[in-house]
PDB file of all heavy atoms in Angstrom:
ATOM      1  N   LYS A 140     -13.273   0.182  -2.048  1.00 96.00           N
ATOM      2  CA  LYS A 140     -12.832  -0.023  -3.374  1.00 96.00           C
ATOM      3  C   LYS A 140     -12.017   1.303  -3.769  1.00 96.00           C
ATOM      4  O   LYS A 140     -12.633   2.285  -3.931  1.00 96.00           O
ATOM      5  CB  LYS A 140     -14.018  -0.194  -4.337  1.00 96.00           C
ATOM      6  CG  LYS A 140     -14.673  -1.539  -4.104  1.00 96.00           C
ATOM      7  CD  LYS A 140     -15.982  -1.677  -4.867  1.00 96.00           C
ATOM      8  CE  LYS A 140     -15.815  -1.445  -6.392  1.00 96.00           C
ATOM      9  NZ  LYS A 140     -17.102  -1.647  -7.076  1.00 96.00           N
ATOM     10  N   ILE A 141     -10.727   1.182  -3.660  1.00 97.00           N
ATOM     11  CA  ILE A 141      -9.897   2.314  -3.983  1.00 97.00           C
ATOM     12  C   ILE A 141      -9.212   2.089  -5.307  1.00 97.00           C
ATOM     13  O   ILE A 141      -8.919   0.964  -5.741  1.00 97.00           O
ATOM     14  CB  ILE A 141      -8.846   2.576  -2.882  1.00 97.00           C
ATOM     15  CG1 ILE A 141      -7.883   1.404  -2.673  1.00 97.00           C
ATOM     16  CG2 ILE A 141      -9.552   2.889  -1.574  1.00 97.00           C
ATOM     17  CD1 ILE A 141      -6.734   1.701  -1.715  1.00 97.00           C
ATOM     18  N   ARG A 142      -8.928   3.184  -5.976  1.00 96.00           N
ATOM     19  CA  ARG A 142      -8.206   3.159  -7.272  1.00 96.00           C
ATOM     20  C   ARG A 142      -6.821   3.780  -7.126  1.00 96.00           C
ATOM     21  O   ARG A 142      -6.712   4.957  -6.963  1.00 96.00           O
ATOM     22  CB  ARG A 142      -9.020   3.897  -8.312  1.00 96.00           C
ATOM     23  CG  ARG A 142      -8.528   3.948  -9.765  1.00 96.00           C
ATOM     24  CD  ARG A 142      -8.455   2.604 -10.383  1.00 96.00           C
ATOM     25  NE  ARG A 142      -9.677   1.944 -10.585  1.00 96.00           N
ATOM     26  CZ  ARG A 142     -10.331   1.780 -11.786  1.00 96.00           C
ATOM     27  NH1 ARG A 142      -9.800   2.311 -12.864  1.00 96.00           N
ATOM     28  NH2 ARG A 142     -11.448   1.167 -11.791  1.00 96.00           N
ATOM     29  N   LEU A 143      -5.801   2.972  -7.086  1.00 96.00           N
ATOM     30  CA  LEU A 143      -4.404   3.343  -6.943  1.00 96.00           C
ATOM     31  C   LEU A 143      -3.913   3.888  -8.312  1.00 96.00           C
ATOM     32  O   LEU A 143      -4.195   3.336  -9.346  1.00 96.00           O
ATOM     33  CB  LEU A 143      -3.543   2.277  -6.490  1.00 96.00           C
ATOM     34  CG  LEU A 143      -3.770   1.690  -5.090  1.00 96.00           C
ATOM     35  CD1 LEU A 143      -2.809   0.484  -4.812  1.00 96.00           C
ATOM     36  CD2 LEU A 143      -3.575   2.725  -4.029  1.00 96.00           C
ATOM     37  N   SER A 144      -3.129   4.991  -8.171  1.00 95.00           N
ATOM     38  CA  SER A 144      -2.508   5.595  -9.368  1.00 95.00           C
ATOM     39  C   SER A 144      -1.094   6.017  -8.959  1.00 95.00           C
ATOM     40  O   SER A 144      -0.938   6.893  -8.126  1.00 95.00           O
ATOM     41  CB  SER A 144      -3.337   6.796  -9.804  1.00 95.00           C
ATOM     42  OG  SER A 144      -2.710   7.395 -10.913  1.00 95.00           O
ATOM     43  N   GLY A 145      -0.095   5.366  -9.524  1.00 96.00           N
ATOM     44  CA  GLY A 145       1.283   5.669  -9.185  1.00 96.00           C
ATOM     45  C   GLY A 145       2.204   4.866 -10.042  1.00 96.00           C
ATOM     46  O   GLY A 145       1.774   4.042 -10.900  1.00 96.00           O
ATOM     47  N   THR A 146       3.481   4.975  -9.759  1.00 97.00           N
ATOM     48  CA  THR A 146       4.476   4.131 -10.414  1.00 97.00           C
ATOM     49  C   THR A 146       4.325   2.680  -9.916  1.00 97.00           C
ATOM     50  O   THR A 146       3.847   2.476  -8.754  1.00 97.00           O
ATOM     51  CB  THR A 146       5.865   4.649 -10.189  1.00 97.00           C
ATOM     52  OG1 THR A 146       6.261   4.452  -8.813  1.00 97.00           O
ATOM     53  CG2 THR A 146       6.031   6.129 -10.534  1.00 97.00           C
ATOM     54  N   PRO A 147       4.900   1.747 -10.655  1.00 97.00           N
ATOM     55  CA  PRO A 147       4.899   0.307 -10.124  1.00 97.00           C
ATOM     56  C   PRO A 147       5.526   0.209  -8.769  1.00 97.00           C
ATOM     57  O   PRO A 147       5.038  -0.567  -7.904  1.00 97.00           O
ATOM     58  CB  PRO A 147       5.652  -0.456 -11.177  1.00 97.00           C
ATOM     59  CG  PRO A 147       5.444   0.361 -12.447  1.00 97.00           C
ATOM     60  CD  PRO A 147       5.411   1.785 -12.043  1.00 97.00           C
ATOM     61  N   PHE A 148       6.653   0.971  -8.560  1.00 97.00           N
ATOM     62  CA  PHE A 148       7.319   0.899  -7.235  1.00 97.00           C
ATOM     63  C   PHE A 148       6.416   1.489  -6.142  1.00 97.00           C
ATOM     64  O   PHE A 148       6.255   0.888  -5.047  1.00 97.00           O
ATOM     65  CB  PHE A 148       8.628   1.701  -7.247  1.00 97.00           C
ATOM     66  CG  PHE A 148       9.374   1.704  -5.961  1.00 97.00           C
ATOM     67  CD1 PHE A 148      10.225   0.621  -5.634  1.00 97.00           C
ATOM     68  CD2 PHE A 148       9.190   2.769  -5.065  1.00 97.00           C
ATOM     69  CE1 PHE A 148      10.870   0.631  -4.344  1.00 97.00           C
ATOM     70  CE2 PHE A 148       9.929   2.726  -3.875  1.00 97.00           C
ATOM     71  CZ  PHE A 148      10.737   1.693  -3.496  1.00 97.00           C
ATOM     72  N   GLN A 149       5.816   2.584  -6.353  1.00 97.00           N
ATOM     73  CA  GLN A 149       4.860   3.188  -5.347  1.00 97.00           C
ATOM     74  C   GLN A 149       3.744   2.227  -5.045  1.00 97.00           C
ATOM     75  O   GLN A 149       3.416   2.044  -3.854  1.00 97.00           O
ATOM     76  CB  GLN A 149       4.296   4.517  -5.916  1.00 97.00           C
ATOM     77  CG  GLN A 149       5.304   5.644  -5.991  1.00 97.00           C
ATOM     78  CD  GLN A 149       4.798   6.876  -6.730  1.00 97.00           C
ATOM     79  OE1 GLN A 149       3.931   6.764  -7.579  1.00 97.00           O
ATOM     80  NE2 GLN A 149       5.392   7.996  -6.436  1.00 97.00           N
ATOM     81  N   ILE A 150       3.148   1.664  -6.087  1.00 97.00           N
ATOM     82  CA  ILE A 150       2.003   0.669  -5.886  1.00 97.00           C
ATOM     83  C   ILE A 150       2.502  -0.476  -5.049  1.00 97.00           C
ATOM     84  O   ILE A 150       1.791  -0.958  -4.162  1.00 97.00           O
ATOM     85  CB  ILE A 150       1.378   0.334  -7.142  1.00 97.00           C
ATOM     86  CG1 ILE A 150       0.631   1.613  -7.752  1.00 97.00           C
ATOM     87  CG2 ILE A 150       0.386  -0.836  -6.968  1.00 97.00           C
ATOM     88  CD1 ILE A 150       0.116   1.438  -9.184  1.00 97.00           C
ATOM     89  N   LYS A 151       3.678  -0.928  -5.260  1.00 97.00           N
ATOM     90  CA  LYS A 151       4.248  -2.029  -4.520  1.00 97.00           C
ATOM     91  C   LYS A 151       4.404  -1.643  -3.012  1.00 97.00           C
ATOM     92  O   LYS A 151       4.037  -2.400  -2.104  1.00 97.00           O
ATOM     93  CB  LYS A 151       5.602  -2.449  -5.092  1.00 97.00           C
ATOM     94  CG  LYS A 151       6.139  -3.734  -4.543  1.00 97.00           C
ATOM     95  CD  LYS A 151       7.499  -4.083  -5.304  1.00 97.00           C
ATOM     96  CE  LYS A 151       7.205  -5.117  -6.297  1.00 97.00           C
ATOM     97  NZ  LYS A 151       8.300  -5.893  -6.653  1.00 97.00           N
ATOM     98  N   VAL A 152       4.912  -0.485  -2.782  1.00 97.00           N
ATOM     99  CA  VAL A 152       5.051   0.058  -1.395  1.00 97.00           C
ATOM    100  C   VAL A 152       3.672   0.137  -0.759  1.00 97.00           C
ATOM    101  O   VAL A 152       3.436  -0.270   0.312  1.00 97.00           O
ATOM    102  CB  VAL A 152       5.754   1.397  -1.385  1.00 97.00           C
ATOM    103  CG1 VAL A 152       5.695   2.064   0.014  1.00 97.00           C
ATOM    104  CG2 VAL A 152       7.199   1.242  -1.836  1.00 97.00           C
ATOM    105  N   TRP A 153       2.700   0.805  -1.413  1.00 98.00           N
ATOM    106  CA  TRP A 153       1.392   1.050  -0.857  1.00 98.00           C
ATOM    107  C   TRP A 153       0.689  -0.310  -0.552  1.00 98.00           C
ATOM    108  O   TRP A 153       0.028  -0.435   0.466  1.00 98.00           O
ATOM    109  CB  TRP A 153       0.543   1.848  -1.779  1.00 98.00           C
ATOM    110  CG  TRP A 153       1.118   3.207  -2.051  1.00 98.00           C
ATOM    111  CD1 TRP A 153       1.941   3.997  -1.179  1.00 98.00           C
ATOM    112  CD2 TRP A 153       0.908   4.033  -3.199  1.00 98.00           C
ATOM    113  NE1 TRP A 153       2.235   5.177  -1.804  1.00 98.00           N
ATOM    114  CE2 TRP A 153       1.667   5.177  -3.061  1.00 98.00           C
ATOM    115  CE3 TRP A 153       0.235   3.812  -4.422  1.00 98.00           C
ATOM    116  CZ2 TRP A 153       1.709   6.213  -3.961  1.00 98.00           C
ATOM    117  CZ3 TRP A 153       0.226   4.829  -5.348  1.00 98.00           C
ATOM    118  CH2 TRP A 153       0.996   6.008  -5.121  1.00 98.00           C
ATOM    119  N   ASN A 154       0.840  -1.293  -1.396  1.00 97.00           N
ATOM    120  CA  ASN A 154       0.254  -2.611  -1.152  1.00 97.00           C
ATOM    121  C   ASN A 154       0.900  -3.271   0.079  1.00 97.00           C
ATOM    122  O   ASN A 154       0.181  -3.950   0.834  1.00 97.00           O
ATOM    123  CB  ASN A 154       0.286  -3.500  -2.360  1.00 97.00           C
ATOM    124  CG  ASN A 154      -0.740  -3.125  -3.393  1.00 97.00           C
ATOM    125  OD1 ASN A 154      -1.846  -2.693  -3.085  1.00 97.00           O
ATOM    126  ND2 ASN A 154      -0.419  -3.294  -4.722  1.00 97.00           N
ATOM    127  N   GLU A 155       2.191  -3.013   0.280  1.00 97.00           N
ATOM    128  CA  GLU A 155       2.837  -3.552   1.440  1.00 97.00           C
ATOM    129  C   GLU A 155       2.329  -2.812   2.679  1.00 97.00           C
ATOM    130  O   GLU A 155       2.176  -3.414   3.748  1.00 97.00           O
ATOM    131  CB  GLU A 155       4.335  -3.457   1.318  1.00 97.00           C
ATOM    132  CG  GLU A 155       5.139  -4.204   2.316  1.00 97.00           C
ATOM    133  CD  GLU A 155       4.896  -5.728   2.267  1.00 97.00           C
ATOM    134  OE1 GLU A 155       4.733  -6.335   1.149  1.00 97.00           O
ATOM    135  OE2 GLU A 155       4.897  -6.330   3.320  1.00 97.00           O
ATOM    136  N   LEU A 156       2.100  -1.518   2.612  1.00 97.00           N
ATOM    137  CA  LEU A 156       1.636  -0.763   3.760  1.00 97.00           C
ATOM    138  C   LEU A 156       0.319  -1.272   4.251  1.00 97.00           C
ATOM    139  O   LEU A 156       0.058  -1.319   5.478  1.00 97.00           O
ATOM    140  CB  LEU A 156       1.505   0.733   3.405  1.00 97.00           C
ATOM    141  CG  LEU A 156       2.746   1.507   3.007  1.00 97.00           C
ATOM    142  CD1 LEU A 156       2.423   2.954   2.698  1.00 97.00           C
ATOM    143  CD2 LEU A 156       3.800   1.484   4.110  1.00 97.00           C
ATOM    144  N   LYS A 157      -0.548  -1.704   3.295  1.00 96.00           N
ATOM    145  CA  LYS A 157      -1.887  -2.268   3.687  1.00 96.00           C
ATOM    146  C   LYS A 157      -1.758  -3.446   4.536  1.00 96.00           C
ATOM    147  O   LYS A 157      -2.702  -3.864   5.245  1.00 96.00           O
ATOM    148  CB  LYS A 157      -2.681  -2.546   2.451  1.00 96.00           C
ATOM    149  CG  LYS A 157      -3.151  -1.281   1.734  1.00 96.00           C
ATOM    150  CD  LYS A 157      -4.174  -1.569   0.658  1.00 96.00           C
ATOM    151  CE  LYS A 157      -3.569  -1.994  -0.625  1.00 96.00           C
ATOM    152  NZ  LYS A 157      -4.542  -2.207  -1.725  1.00 96.00           N
ATOM    153  N   LYS A 158      -0.594  -4.135   4.540  1.00 97.00           N
ATOM    154  CA  LYS A 158      -0.390  -5.378   5.349  1.00 97.00           C
ATOM    155  C   LYS A 158       0.027  -5.099   6.745  1.00 97.00           C
ATOM    156  O   LYS A 158       0.090  -6.002   7.581  1.00 97.00           O
ATOM    157  CB  LYS A 158       0.610  -6.262   4.653  1.00 97.00           C
ATOM    158  CG  LYS A 158       0.270  -6.769   3.249  1.00 97.00           C
ATOM    159  CD  LYS A 158       1.403  -7.504   2.655  1.00 97.00           C
ATOM    160  CE  LYS A 158       1.100  -7.829   1.171  1.00 97.00           C
ATOM    161  NZ  LYS A 158       2.317  -8.516   0.556  1.00 97.00           N
ATOM    162  N   ILE A 159       0.395  -3.868   7.063  1.00 97.00           N
ATOM    163  CA  ILE A 159       0.891  -3.499   8.425  1.00 97.00           C
ATOM    164  C   ILE A 159      -0.382  -3.628   9.410  1.00 97.00           C
ATOM    165  O   ILE A 159      -1.356  -2.918   9.171  1.00 97.00           O
ATOM    166  CB  ILE A 159       1.410  -2.103   8.533  1.00 97.00           C
ATOM    167  CG1 ILE A 159       2.602  -1.936   7.538  1.00 97.00           C
ATOM    168  CG2 ILE A 159       1.995  -1.865   9.967  1.00 97.00           C
ATOM    169  CD1 ILE A 159       3.047  -0.479   7.423  1.00 97.00           C
ATOM    170  N   PRO A 160      -0.306  -4.508  10.380  1.00 96.00           N
ATOM    171  CA  PRO A 160      -1.440  -4.709  11.245  1.00 96.00           C
ATOM    172  C   PRO A 160      -1.764  -3.390  12.070  1.00 96.00           C
ATOM    173  O   PRO A 160      -0.897  -2.580  12.371  1.00 96.00           O
ATOM    174  CB  PRO A 160      -1.006  -5.776  12.243  1.00 96.00           C
ATOM    175  CG  PRO A 160       0.142  -6.416  11.603  1.00 96.00           C
ATOM    176  CD  PRO A 160       0.795  -5.379  10.737  1.00 96.00           C
ATOM    177  N   TYR A 161      -2.992  -3.271  12.369  1.00 96.00           N
ATOM    178  CA  TYR A 161      -3.551  -2.177  13.230  1.00 96.00           C
ATOM    179  C   TYR A 161      -2.765  -2.115  14.529  1.00 96.00           C
ATOM    180  O   TYR A 161      -2.532  -3.148  15.151  1.00 96.00           O
ATOM    181  CB  TYR A 161      -5.040  -2.392  13.455  1.00 96.00           C
ATOM    182  CG  TYR A 161      -5.711  -1.364  14.281  1.00 96.00           C
ATOM    183  CD1 TYR A 161      -6.357  -0.334  13.719  1.00 96.00           C
ATOM    184  CD2 TYR A 161      -5.751  -1.405  15.701  1.00 96.00           C
ATOM    185  CE1 TYR A 161      -7.035   0.685  14.445  1.00 96.00           C
ATOM    186  CE2 TYR A 161      -6.404  -0.458  16.433  1.00 96.00           C
ATOM    187  CZ  TYR A 161      -7.078   0.561  15.820  1.00 96.00           C
ATOM    188  OH  TYR A 161      -7.722   1.489  16.528  1.00 96.00           O
ATOM    189  N   GLY A 162      -2.343  -0.958  14.919  1.00 95.00           N
ATOM    190  CA  GLY A 162      -1.662  -0.837  16.163  1.00 95.00           C
ATOM    191  C   GLY A 162      -0.185  -1.203  16.139  1.00 95.00           C
ATOM    192  O   GLY A 162       0.480  -1.096  17.188  1.00 95.00           O
ATOM    193  N   LYS A 163       0.347  -1.580  15.003  1.00 96.00           N
ATOM    194  CA  LYS A 163       1.785  -1.904  14.895  1.00 96.00           C
ATOM    195  C   LYS A 163       2.481  -0.828  14.066  1.00 96.00           C
ATOM    196  O   LYS A 163       1.832  -0.197  13.243  1.00 96.00           O
ATOM    197  CB  LYS A 163       1.916  -3.303  14.196  1.00 96.00           C
ATOM    198  CG  LYS A 163       1.256  -4.436  14.899  1.00 96.00           C
ATOM    199  CD  LYS A 163       2.035  -4.871  16.099  1.00 96.00           C
ATOM    200  CE  LYS A 163       1.339  -6.126  16.707  1.00 96.00           C
ATOM    201  NZ  LYS A 163       1.858  -6.431  18.043  1.00 96.00           N
ATOM    202  N   THR A 164       3.759  -0.825  14.253  1.00 95.00           N
ATOM    203  CA  THR A 164       4.573   0.101  13.400  1.00 95.00           C
ATOM    204  C   THR A 164       5.709  -0.709  12.785  1.00 95.00           C
ATOM    205  O   THR A 164       6.085  -1.812  13.244  1.00 95.00           O
ATOM    206  CB  THR A 164       5.206   1.288  14.185  1.00 95.00           C
ATOM    207  OG1 THR A 164       5.954   0.756  15.275  1.00 95.00           O
ATOM    208  CG2 THR A 164       4.066   2.203  14.706  1.00 95.00           C
TER     209      THR A 164
END
């Protein structure tokens, strides 16, 4: 349970980063 704090753009980026599969770039 993490609490994100940032601009709407940053949060959009961070949420997309969470979708990158383990071991992939």
Side-chain angles (χ1 to χ4, degrees):
K140 289 171 59 177
I141 63 174
R142 181 63 63 106
L143 294 177
S144 176
T146 68
F148 180 83
Q149 289 169 334
I150 292 170
K151 191 177 261 206
V152 170
W153 300 331
N154 283 326
E155 193 62 37
L156 296 179
K157 290 192 275 183
K158 297 175 187 175
I159 306 169
Y161 181 94
K163 301 284 185 191
T164 57

